[in-house]
Amino acid sequence: KIPDRKRALDLIASAKEELIYTLSLEISEKSANTIVRNIYESFRMLGEALLISDGKKEADHIASINELLKINVETSRPKYLIDNLRKLRHGINYYGYKANVDEAKDAVSIAKSCFNPLFNEINKIIGK
């Protein structure tokens, strides 16, 4: 596949926009699934952007998340927690799991501690 920097940059911009909106939502039992899903999806899009910028095709979500875990940035919470969001979202989408308020709050905490450092570094990498 051919590297596509423009598409990758568009994808990370969309991920940031989606995350900003999601963080504006009030956390409740009704919104918990949406918040977890959207936060996870924003991270996945960052990882996919890295793959696209290298001309690689995303085989699955694990590949996208693994790309994020390779990025050397300082975060106040461990980056590997993003994979926990992947597993939680998988349960929501495929097994009817209902996320609770605490899980949504944790997803927001992960987003607030990890998203911007990853976004900024990925923006530098792709923008070269």
Side-chain angles (χ1 to χ4, degrees):
K1 201 168 175 189
I2 299 169
D4 189 344
R5 277 192 31 205
K6 176 165 179 2
R7 183 167 165 237
L9 289 169
D10 288 347
L11 197 56
I12 66 170
S14 179
K16 182 145 187 149
E17 188 177 303
E18 184 69 25
L19 184 72
I20 289 168
Y21 167 73
T22 301
L23 294 178
S24 76
L25 298 175
E26 184 178 331
I27 298 174
S28 69
E29 290 295 329
K30 287 185 175 188
S31 68
N33 275 3
T34 299
I35 290 169
V36 169
R37 276 191 196 119
N38 288 3
I39 288 172
Y40 167 74
E41 186 64 17
S42 292
F43 280 114
R44 187 203 60 76
M45 291 165 71
L46 290 181
E48 184 180 354
L50 283 169
L51 292 170
I52 290 168
S53 72
D54 284 342
K56 298 174 186 169
K57 182 168 173 38
E58 178 187 46
D60 56 25
H61 287 206
I62 295 171
S64 293
I65 299 306
N66 285 341
E67 287 299 308
L68 295 181
L69 300 180
K70 292 177 192 174
I71 301 292
N72 187 21
V73 292
E74 193 73 29
T75 57
S76 58
R77 293 192 66 190
K79 291 181 306 214
Y80 69 79
L81 293 173
I82 298 166
D83 196 51
N84 292 351
L85 292 177
R86 180 187 63 78
K87 293 171 186 170
L88 182 56
R89 178 238 164 236
H90 187 82
I92 291 167
N93 281 7
Y94 300 105
Y95 296 100
Y97 182 77
K98 178 71 179 116
N100 61 44
V101 168
D102 288 337
E103 289 166 323
K105 285 180 181 177
D106 191 48
V108 166
S109 173
I110 293 167
K112 287 182 175 179
S113 66
C114 297
F115 188 87
N116 281 334
L118 286 167
F119 174 87
N120 292 335
E121 187 62 25
I122 291 166
N123 202 26
K124 284 184 210 169
I125 292 167
I126 294 172
K128 287 182 183 176

